[in-house]
């Protein structure tokens, strides 16, 4: 493998995607030319559980906890997939926009023992860092997390509008825009 891009679309599942394709012009546009798995199954009930399944290659990495900060004590696997590629010389950028979590991801090393998430307040700054990694000389892995699908229907945004569905739609359209920009780079 030369390069890999993981795109995490917070609070978007296949049912929402299939029912609202008009909000996902970039994603559905590339789907016909992509390897697209419609039968992916995960036992995950949270973002952190998906990280466990995909990046730690097991379902038990974060299973035995009720507090995310307690995760640091119970490792089943000592290195994540991203740690392994980091050791092989890959440039790894984990970009999280906009910041949704405090710093649990880095505090608990949820992505790997040596992998740190960069949190971005500004979309343009994140995209600048994505471009720098892609245009570099080393093989790379990008793990881009777009939280706007979740944030646009959070309580703070609900209070700003009479129409919650409008914010839900905007969140999904923002995810699609970020996806399109990453693919373009």
């Amino acid at each position: 493998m030369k390069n890999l891009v993981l795109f995490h679309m917070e609070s978007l599942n296949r049912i929402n995607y299939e029912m609202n394709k008009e909000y996902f012009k970039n994603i559905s546009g590339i789907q016909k030319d992509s390897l697209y798995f419609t039968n992916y199954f995960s036992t995950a009930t949270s973002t952190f559980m998906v990280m466990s399944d995909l990046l730690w290659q097991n379902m038990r990495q974060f299973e035995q906890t009720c507090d995310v900060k307690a995760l640091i004590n119970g490792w089943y696997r000592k290195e994540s997939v991203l740690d392994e590629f980091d050791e092989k010389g890959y440039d790894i950028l984990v970009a999280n926009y906009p910041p949704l979590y405090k710093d649990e991801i880095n505090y608990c090393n949820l992505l790997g023992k040596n992998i740190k998430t960069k949190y971005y307040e500004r979309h343009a700054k994140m995209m600048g860092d994505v471009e720098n990694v892609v245009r570099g000389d080393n093989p790379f892995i990008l793990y881009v997390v777009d939280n706007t699908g979740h944030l646009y229907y959070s309580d703070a945004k609900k209070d700003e509008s009479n129409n919650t569905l409008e914010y839900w739609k905007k969140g999904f359209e923002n995810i699609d825009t970020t996806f399109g920009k990453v693919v373009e780079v």
Side-chain angles (χ1 to χ4, degrees), residues 140-155:
F140 63 83
I141 295 178
L142 296 175
Y143 182 178
V144 178
V145 181
D146 189 308
N147 292 310
T148 55
H150 180 71
L151 295 175
Y152 271 94
Y153 59 85
S154 67
D155 290 339

Side-chain angles (χ1 to χ4, degrees), residues 109-146:
N109 298 313
L110 294 179
L111 301 176
K113 290 291 190 176
N114 300 307
I115 306 301
K116 297 298 179 194
T117 298
K118 289 183 78 174
Y119 295 94
Y120 295 89
E121 294 283 344
R122 301 280 179 237
H123 194 268
K125 172 67 175 138
M126 180 188 72
M127 290 309 302
D129 285 356
V130 166
E131 282 189 46
N132 288 339
V133 168
V134 170
R135 300 204 194 304
D137 294 330
N138 293 332
F140 63 83
I141 295 178
L142 296 175
Y143 182 178
V144 178
V145 181
D146 189 308

Side-chain angles (χ1 to χ4, degrees), residues 35-102:
L35 184 58
Y36 180 68
F37 296 100
T38 58
N39 294 321
Y40 169 74
F41 176 78
S42 173
T43 59
T45 56
S46 73
T47 299
F48 297 139
M49 298 307 292
V50 172
M51 289 177 188
S52 181
D53 287 356
L54 295 176
L55 300 180
W56 295 89
Q57 300 176 333
N58 68 68
M59 297 185 311
R60 297 181 62 206
Q61 189 73 17
F62 305 136
E63 192 71 32
Q64 302 297 323
T65 187
C66 353
D67 177 3
V68 81
K69 290 186 178 174
L71 293 174
I72 201 163
N73 298 318
W75 301 106
Y76 288 93
R77 193 166 187 271
K78 299 300 180 192
E79 290 187 330
S80 76
V81 170
L82 296 180
D83 284 319
E84 293 172 10
F85 280 103
D86 184 47
E87 290 171 9
K88 293 179 181 179
Y90 277 69
D91 286 338
I92 298 174
L93 174 63
V94 180
N96 190 304
Y97 168 81
L100 175 59
Y101 306 105
K102 295 178 182 147

